[in-house]
Amino acid sequence: EAKGLPVVFSIHGRGEPAWIFATKNGWDQLADETREFILVLPDSPQNMWLFDRDGEVFRHIIDKLCQTYSIDKTRVYPTGFSNGGMITRQVANRFPELFAAISLWNAPFADNFDELLLSGSEIPCFICAGDNDNKVSWNDLNSLLENMLKANGCVIRESGTDSPIKFVPDEVYTGENYYTKANKYTDGDRFQTLVYKKLDGQARVCFTIMKDMPHGAVYDESRAAWAFLKRFSRPEGTKKVTEAAC
């Protein structure tokens, strides 16, 4: 029964249609396993997302889902890989009121979130990056992380070390303490997630570095992202998110 469920958008990258992308990232299997969300796999013209052309389509899809399935409109989560991550960032920057949280996978940096930061809207974010991804620079990833920390009111502490990530996390999840077989992870030893919290101790931004990962994805990333995303809801008309009852 789909009525009242939250929605996950899984947005493909450049050069591959949604049906191919769906077989790579695990969201389809996770949706079938958990029955906790409706999975939406939008297709772009020419297999490439352009904000000026496609930015408004997500609002229309959400409205259609509300009419057809009576979805939980306070819990809509766009996730995107590569070019799909770029459009995810852009719609979150322009239309944060539509979403409770976002997840960006191997996404090149394309904007600086000026509108989001000026709006004062929170947007919790789960970021994934491959340690061998030659299409996304660490400078871009640090800029993305800094903007997400600012938007979500997280404590910002610069590392001052040679670490590729400029900001000190409040906690670190690994295969030993979080991504375990007991928690249904099969590639847990490849994860290192830096967790950033607000002053009240609530996690709002996660930055996951995937070991031995080029410009690609593994199924476990969807499980990790969903565990983070599903905690959040955005009551209609508010700039702040709340912890969801999930």
Side-chain angles (χ1 to χ4, degrees):
E1 177 60 54
K3 289 182 182 286
L5 286 177
V7 170
V8 170
F9 283 97
S10 180
I11 306 171
H12 66 79
R14 180 176 181 176
E16 62 180 0
W19 71 268
I20 292 179
F21 180 59
T23 66
K24 297 179 178 180
N25 58 31
W27 281 113
D28 55 343
Q29 291 191 1
L30 192 65
D32 290 341
E33 174 193 326
T34 65
R35 303 287 180 178
E36 291 179 344
F37 58 91
I38 296 173
L39 178 63
V40 178
L41 298 158
D43 247 333
S44 66
Q46 294 86 47
N47 298 326
M48 179 179 178
W49 295 100
L50 299 171
F51 179 77
D52 289 344
R53 180 191 66 196
D54 306 318
E56 291 282 356
V57 73
F58 298 94
R59 185 188 303 275
H60 296 308
I61 294 174
I62 292 167
D63 288 343
K64 185 66 174 179
L65 290 169
C66 286
Q67 296 168 13
T68 306
Y69 297 111
S70 300
I71 61 165
D72 184 350
K73 198 173 182 180
T74 70
R75 298 178 66 202
V76 177
Y77 312 103
T79 76
F81 174 79
S82 192
N83 175 238
M86 292 176 66
I87 192 71
T88 298
R89 277 206 316 276
Q90 290 168 319
V91 296
N93 179 47
R94 184 70 62 85
F95 313 119
E97 71 278 3
L98 297 178
F99 311 117
I102 62 176
S103 185
L104 310 171
W105 298 16
N106 304 71
F109 194 69
D111 47 56
N112 55 12
F113 288 100
D114 281 350
E115 293 184 51
L116 177 69
L117 294 172
L118 286 173
S119 76
S121 294
E122 292 181 329
I123 191 82
C125 184
F126 190 94
I127 302 164
C128 288
D131 62 354
N132 290 331
D133 188 344
N134 61 10
K135 296 186 179 181
V136 184
S137 75
W138 287 108
N139 283 338
D140 285 351
L141 289 169
N142 278 301
S143 295
L144 168 61
L145 177 57
E146 184 175 10
N147 279 290
M148 289 294 94
L149 295 178
K150 289 177 179 178
N152 290 287
C154 295
V155 179
I156 300 178
R157 303 187 303 275
E158 293 202 22
S159 64
T161 69
D162 292 332
S163 169
I165 302 301
K166 286 175 52 178
F167 304 99
V168 179
D170 298 290
E171 196 171 355
V172 179
Y173 295 160
T174 67
E176 295 181 357
N177 63 14
Y178 187 86
Y179 299 109
T180 63
K181 286 183 169 56
N183 286 333
K184 300 184 178 180
Y185 290 94
T186 58
D187 282 310
D189 60 338
R190 299 180 67 181
F191 281 79
Q192 182 185 46
T193 296
L194 312 181
V195 182
Y196 299 86
K197 301 179 180 181
K198 297 176 65 175
L199 286 174
D200 60 10
Q202 295 183 341
R204 283 295 184 268
V205 179
C206 288
F207 190 106
T208 294
I209 304 168
M210 295 299 296
K211 182 181 178 182
D212 299 326
M213 175 64 73
H215 197 64
V218 297
Y219 277 25
D220 274 353
E221 288 175 89
S222 61
R223 188 180 299 280
W226 177 237
F228 174 83
L229 295 171
K230 69 180 182 179
R231 297 168 37 229
F232 302 107
S233 64
R234 185 186 299 280
E236 189 170 358
T238 63
K239 295 183 177 180
K240 304 298 182 183
V241 298
T242 61
E243 291 286 331
C246 56

